[in-house]
Amino acid sequence: MTDLAQRIKQLKDIRRLTSKQLSILSGVPLGTLNKVLTESTKSVKTETLKKLADALSVSVAYLLGEENEPVKKSVENVKNTDLKYLFIILCNGVL
């Protein structure tokens, strides 16, 4: 398994997110996310990486295995992502 797929799966587990919830949170289509997670695609667009990293509150470099520390985020980005994440958690049974 690549660092990318492995790290996304780990972060999903830590945050208790389903793939559908991560898709909604990040704005990455579920089909695209599934291709990344199953390594069915040879390349991932930079924009997709940025969206996933923002939704998971980590850097793109962390997702790619170039950094060992997952924490990132400026104060401005955290607020928007955290509100989306809170919404997902509150609607957990609905989604």
Side-chain angles (χ1 to χ4, degrees):
M1 182 180 306
T2 63
D3 280 340
L4 177 61
Q6 181 178 355
R7 288 185 178 207
I8 291 172
K9 287 178 183 180
Q10 287 173 342
L11 291 165
K12 275 181 49 196
D13 288 345
I14 290 167
R15 287 159 176 75
R16 302 176 82 185
L17 290 170
T18 64
S19 292
K20 183 176 181 179
Q21 290 169 332
L22 179 56
S23 171
I24 293 167
L25 186 62
S26 66
V28 172
L30 184 57
T32 301
L33 177 58
N34 286 333
K35 287 179 184 177
V36 172
L37 293 172
T38 60
E39 302 177 49
S40 315
T41 184
K42 293 182 180 183
S43 63
V44 181
K45 293 180 180 179
T46 303
E47 186 60 30
T48 299
L49 290 171
K50 287 179 183 176
K51 288 179 178 182
L52 290 170
D54 284 344
L56 294 167
S57 298
V58 297
S59 66
V60 171
Y62 176 78
L63 287 183
L64 295 175
E66 297 170 357
E67 291 179 356
N68 292 324
E69 294 298 320
V71 180
K72 168 199 136 161
K73 289 301 198 176
S74 65
V75 173
E76 305 81 47
N77 291 336
V78 169
K79 290 178 185 175
N80 188 30
T81 301
D82 283 352
L83 289 175
K84 287 181 185 176
Y85 181 70
L86 179 61
F87 176 77
I88 295 286
I89 296 303
L90 292 173
C91 298
N92 196 21
V94 180
L95 298 176

